[in-house]
Every structure is written in structure tokens, then in C-alpha cells.
Amino acid sequence: MIVNSYEGIVGPLDRTIEKALKGDHRSIARLITMVESESVSSRDIMKKIYPHTGNAHLIGVTGSPGAGKSTFLDKLITRIMENGKSIGVIAVDPSSPFTGGAVLGDRLRMQNHSLDPDVFIRSMGTRGSLGGLSRGTYEAALILDACGKDVVLIETVGVGQSEIDIIKIADTVALLLVPGMGDDIQIMKAGIMEIADVFIVNKADRDGTERIVREVNIMLDLQEEKPWRPPVIPTIAENGEGVERAAEAITGHWQFLQNTSEGKRRKYQRLRIEVEEILKREIARIAEKAWDRQIETDILDELFARKKDPYSVAENLLSEFIVR
Ligand SMILES: Nc1nc2c(ncn2[C@@H]2O[C@H](COP(=O)(O)OP(=O)(O)OP(=O)(O)O)[C@@H](O)[C@H]2O)c(=O)[nH]1
Ligand SMILES: [Mg+2]
């Protein structure tokens, strides 16, 4: 019986997946929506999608609010398309997936491409497990990868965790800095220097560009030598100046990853994180269900009366389904 009623869902879903894998944008959008809403079928979708992944270059573009990420992406997309590559874009909006404010703003700034049939642009929220970035962001990137996009660009606002998290899902991280915005101090924040594979000093039409380029280079000099030295590239995203060099640097990093053990190390690290994240999510789901069942008993009364403590309650619940 269950199988029968399930077939009704699986049939059209399979067709959607089939069409998406052939590159149909409407079907891709539908899959991402299902995955984002964590619908029951999201696991099935990902299982079917996964074997087709592993080909796209996942590029994270991060930086402070207003650094010019969307403007930069707009120009970058043009460059990448000149090389005959297909592109998917995910703009991560930290505030809300539903307000549409940033969605509209980002779309306007990427207006050259928002109606382009060859470019898939999608905004997403940041709720969820992967620190600042939601699990859905990564799964959307995988869907775009599977559906034939050669390059997947992920724009995230650098507000704390999500700029660090981007390294968990991107092959190449481009960090946008802006002169005169205190970014020179910001980059010294722990962790931020380490995540960037390419530094972009945008708004290079402003004073202080040279200084910030110099400071980043000094900081890179102080770090222990690594097989990839992140280039520091000034750009004026608004008129496209420097974007070609930035695009070359980003592609150069991708080639570096293809040809070195560092690339393999990154891929393996990501696979490890993937399973870890799924495990965490599944365990949380099971634990919540178990707690929901318990809650129907008098347990809250007992906690209230301090006959039981929440630690022992949680421990007992865990021991129900985890063999130690
Ligand atoms: N002067 C100057 N302004 C720029 C440049 N690039 C972008 N801008 C402007 O900076 C503002 C913010 O640009 P966006 O591309 O929206 O920046 P963002 O980083 O995507 O912003 P959020 O997504 O809101 O974090 C816009 O008004 C752009 O026109 C540049 O190279 N020079
Ligand atoms: Mg933006």
C-alpha cells in the first residue's frame, strides 16, 4: 500500500530529475525548492543526483555587505561565458529566504544575466546546519553541478560564520575586500586570511587600494609557505576593470587543484564533511522524534518537580537508539 501511494510522487519526481539532468532550468528550480524545504523526497533527489556530480568548479565569492560581490559576479559571469561555459549562481541571503529584498537587489545587480537562458540564478536563505550556510546551499550547488553547469558561483555575505563556512563547500574562495571600509583590520580576524584562494580588492577607484593590496601581500609573506600563493587583484567591478585578471586567477586556482595533491585533499575533506553533516542531521531527527514521544508522558512534571534532571533524560533517550 505504502509503495503504491508513494509511486504517485516518485513518478513525476523522476521525470523532473531526468529533465533537470538534461539542463532544464524549471526542473532544476523545482528540485532546489524541494531540497531547500527539506521535503520528504529531498533525500531521494540527492541520492539520484549525486552520481552525476563532481564535475563543476564551485566558486565561493564572499566579502562584507556592499563590497560589490553581485556587481563583480555579473562581470565575472560574462567572462566565464565567453569561454563557452555554462553557469549556475546561488546568492545566499542571510536575512530571510522569503523577504525578496536582497533577492531583488542581487538580481538587479546581475541584471545582465538574470534573464539569460544560459545562466541559472537562485537566492537562498541561511537557515540550517552548516553553520552560517544552510545544507540546502550545498545541495543546490550539487544539483547545479549534476545538471551540467560547468561553474557554480556562490555569493555569501561575510557576516561571521558563513564566510568561513564557504570553504566547506567551494573549491575556490574569492574574498572581496574594499579600501577604506576597515577591511584591512577585518582580514586580520582569525580564519579569514586562511580561507581565501584569491583576494579581490574591489572599488579600486577609491583611495587606499594600493595600501590594502600591500598589506594583504605582507600578511601572506608572513604566513608559512604554501603550494598556492593567493594572488591579490584590484578590480573596479562597476566598469569591469581587473575582472579578467580575477577570472584568470580563479581559473588558475582550479587548475592548481586539478593537478596537485592539495586538490585531492580538499575533495576528500569535503566528502568527510558531507557524511558528517548528514549524520548530524539524521541523529537530530531521530532524537527529536524520541523526545516527542517521551514528552507525552509526565516527564515535564517530573523535571519541574526536580525529580529528574534534563541531562539524565537526554542520556536515557540517547541510549535508546545509540549502542555505546
Ligand atoms: N565605486 C565603486 N562602486 C562599486 C564598485 N563595485 C560595486 N560598486 C557599488 O557598490 C554597491 C554595492 O554593490 P553590490 O554588488 O550590491 O555589493 P554586494 O557585495 O553584492 O552587496 P550585498 O549582497 O548587499 O552584500 C553598489 O552601489 C555598486 O554599484 C566599484 O568597483 N567601485
Ligand atoms: Mg549582493
Side-chain angles (χ1 to χ4, degrees):
M1 280 310 282
I2 292 167
V3 173
N4 278 342
S5 64
Y6 199 53
E7 261 171 11
I9 306 167
V10 167
L13 180 59
D14 277 343
R15 273 196 295 280
T16 306
I17 292 174
E18 213 173 285
K19 276 161 82 181
L21 288 173
K22 285 185 186 142
D24 175 51
H25 280 187
R26 198 189 282 237
S27 304
I28 295 175
R30 204 171 295 159
L31 291 186
I32 293 178
T33 302
M34 283 192 252
V35 165
E36 190 178 27
S37 61
E38 296 190 10
S39 75
V40 274
S41 40
S42 64
R43 211 181 322 177
D44 291 327
I45 294 170
M46 293 318 296
K47 280 186 192 168
K48 286 181 179 146
I49 285 290
Y50 201 85
H52 304 274
T53 61
N55 302 309
H57 182 192
L58 272 49
I59 304 169
V61 174
T62 189
S64 331
K69 299 177 292 295
S70 301
T71 315
F72 174 75
L73 276 182
D74 188 55
K75 299 293 191 310
L76 187 67
I77 290 168
T78 309
R79 287 271 158 222
I80 297 170
M81 284 181 76
E82 279 169 5
N83 296 326
K85 297 213 160 102
S86 60
I87 302 173
V89 183
I90 303 166
V92 180
D93 168 11
S95 48
S96 155
F98 303 113
T99 58
V103 179
L104 206 64
D106 281 332
R107 274 197 174 268
L108 280 176
R109 261 156 242 133
M110 288 189 245
Q111 61 189 336
N112 292 332
H113 298 289
S114 63
L115 295 173
D116 200 322
D118 294 326
V119 182
F120 180 96
I121 301 179
R122 172 70 173 235
S123 284
M124 299 187 81
T126 51
R127 301 159 303 157
S129 58
L130 215 70
L133 288 178
S134 75
R135 177 79 210 153
T137 309
Y138 183 51
E139 286 174 345
L142 286 179
I143 290 173
L144 290 169
D145 176 359
C147 297
K149 298 299 174 199
D150 303 308
V151 173
V152 179
L153 299 165
I154 306 159
E155 174 184 338
T156 61
V157 182
V159 278
Q161 198 53 44
S162 62
E163 68 190 341
I164 310 284
D165 276 340
I166 190 69
I167 199 167
K168 290 187 190 166
I169 66 179
D171 299 300
T172 303
V173 177
L175 176 66
L176 259 75
L177 303 169
V178 176
M181 267 182 54
D183 273 351
D184 37 354
I185 297 159
Q186 250 189 37
I187 49 175
M188 288 183 245
K189 276 198 310 199
I192 297 187
M193 282 298 279
E194 283 73 29
I195 65 154
D197 302 302
V198 176
F199 287 90
I200 312 280
V201 180
N202 191 40
K203 307 199 183 181
D205 48 321
R206 289 192 183 170
D207 289 344
T209 303
E210 273 169 37
R211 204 191 84 196
I212 195 164
V213 169
R214 197 168 51 238
E215 279 176 1
V216 174
N217 272 314
I218 290 170
M219 248 180 274
L220 291 169
D221 288 341
L222 292 174
Q223 281 181 353
E224 59 173 308
E225 210 167 307
K226 292 187 185 139
W228 172 261
R229 158 96 184 194
V232 187
I233 298 162
T235 60
I236 305 173
E238 223 157 34
N239 67 12
E241 231 173 278
V243 176
E244 186 172 1
R245 263 190 75 205
E248 279 165 11
I250 290 168
T251 311
H253 182 252
W254 177 235
Q255 278 155 2
F256 161 79
L257 291 180
Q258 307 291 334
N259 300 326
T260 57
S261 57
E262 171 63 15
K264 196 169 178 196
R265 194 191 63 79
R266 261 205 192 191
K267 294 256 183 235
Y268 272 57
Q269 187 188 18
R270 202 156 79 197
L271 293 170
R272 195 176 166 153
I273 292 171
E274 273 183 63
V275 177
E276 242 171 59
E277 291 291 332
I278 295 165
L279 269 177
K280 276 193 239 169
R281 192 168 48 165
E282 290 303 309
I283 289 172
R285 212 199 302 265
I286 296 168
E288 267 165 36
K289 262 194 201 153
W291 175 227
D292 275 349
R293 279 198 303 273
Q294 280 269 326
I295 237 167
E296 284 163 18
T297 65
D298 303 328
I299 204 152
L300 295 179
D301 287 338
E302 289 177 275
L303 283 166
F304 182 72
R306 300 299 188 266
K307 285 182 191 158
K308 277 192 170 146
D309 68 89
Y311 303 93
S312 310
V313 171
E315 218 169 79
N316 287 339
L317 276 173
L318 277 175
S319 62
E320 269 182 31
F321 56 88
I322 292 179
V323 185
R324 284 167 205 264

